[in-house]
Amino acid sequence: MELQKAIDKRHSLRKYAAGEIPEADIRAMVDAANKAPSADNQQNWHFVIVRDRKAIDAFAKVVSQKNAELCEKMQDAAPDKAARFGKLCKAVSLFFNDAQLLAIVYGREWDPSSYDYVKTAGGDEETLANLKYRTRQGSLSVGAAMENFNLKAEELGYGCCWMTSANYAADDVEALVKKLSGYSEEGYHVAALMPVGIRATEGHGPKKKGVDEVMTII
């Protein structure tokens, strides 16, 4: 598939057909992700690929339980908000349970390369905090890797959905990853969940802004 076709066709996939994804294709997607650019060439990502059905169910249960716990805590003070949050979980956070794979994407942040120089030059706390906020080079790098993963999946005939809606359960997800696989790395945290699967139907993404809306030429 040509790159432009993959870019145009790619959209978030939330409904999956039955079937299996060969390990060779899984490796190809992660290899594509691994070739993404990263700030300071840190390559600050790690992909935990969950394909065991019972394990995927376990991660769905972790997210569901955390959602229920939070809903219960806000029930008295904000029952309407608790109800909305519970519905949101079912609508946008648990559909990965039907996918062939769940990619749990880890990332790591670090201070921008200019941070120490600005600090030495007398930058105050607000200036330094804004520098970190505006740069977030770790997240940008992980995002580049995830996009490569998405486009390779599209080329291979699969679909993905880039999810951060369940990140409120990230600590519990990390604990389950460590329990099931032993993976844990200092400084790394769950950045996103990304289900990967076989398309149930050919769909399309939402309408995108026009080029003139997102570009300024000087």
Side-chain angles (χ1 to χ4, degrees):
M1 183 185 292
E2 293 181 359
L3 176 60
Q4 187 60 53
K5 186 176 180 180
I7 292 172
D8 292 340
K9 189 179 178 186
R10 190 221 65 80
H11 65 275
S12 296
L13 182 67
R14 296 181 176 87
K15 293 183 179 180
Y16 310 95
E20 295 185 2
I21 297 178
E23 184 171 333
D25 287 354
I26 298 171
R27 289 184 173 275
M29 289 182 276
V30 176
D31 183 55
N34 203 39
K35 290 175 180 173
S38 60
D40 301 326
N41 195 33
Q42 289 286 315
Q43 301 173 53
N44 60 311
W45 45 69
H46 188 91
F47 290 79
V48 174
I49 305 297
V50 186
R51 58 179 179 174
D52 179 81
R53 178 49 49 191
K54 289 183 179 179
I56 293 176
D57 290 343
F59 282 104
K61 184 177 180 179
V62 159
V63 174
S64 182
Q65 287 178 336
K66 187 64 176 181
N67 179 270
E69 175 188 326
L70 294 173
C71 286
E72 184 178 356
K73 288 182 177 179
M74 69 175 84
Q75 182 62 44
D76 290 340
D80 291 343
K81 186 175 288 187
R84 287 197 302 272
F85 190 44
K87 290 180 181 178
L88 183 68
C89 177
K90 293 177 182 178
V92 303
S93 298
L94 294 177
F95 62 87
F96 69 77
N97 202 31
D98 297 324
Q100 277 74 26
L101 307 174
L102 175 64
I104 302 176
V105 187
Y106 281 71
R108 177 176 58 82
E109 296 288 348
W110 65 97
D111 289 341
S113 56
S114 59
Y115 184 88
D116 185 57
Y117 297 107
V118 174
K119 183 177 181 180
T120 302
D124 57 29
E125 289 187 8
E126 182 178 0
T127 298
L128 293 170
N130 284 337
L131 179 60
K132 281 188 177 184
Y133 177 77
R134 290 170 177 166
T135 307
R136 287 183 285 187
Q137 54 196 7
S139 296
L140 290 170
S141 300
V142 171
M146 291 180 67
E147 182 65 3
N148 273 18
F149 188 111
N150 269 253
L151 292 175
K152 187 63 179 181
E154 191 66 48
E155 180 189 59
L156 293 170
Y158 308 119
C160 305
C161 187
W162 187 321
M163 290 175 54
T164 56
S165 60
N167 277 15
Y168 56 81
D171 288 345
D172 297 323
V173 169
E174 290 173 11
L176 185 56
V177 166
K178 187 173 182 180
K179 177 182 178 181
L180 295 178
S181 71
Y183 174 74
S184 179
E185 195 168 352
E186 185 175 355
Y188 280 74
H189 62 273
V190 168
L193 305 182
M194 188 161 57
V196 187
I198 299 168
R199 299 181 185 281
T201 59
E202 286 294 332
H204 57 83
K207 183 179 179 180
K208 302 296 184 180
K209 295 178 180 179
V211 172
D212 290 338
E213 293 184 75
V214 299
M215 178 179 68
T216 300
I217 296 178
I218 297 177

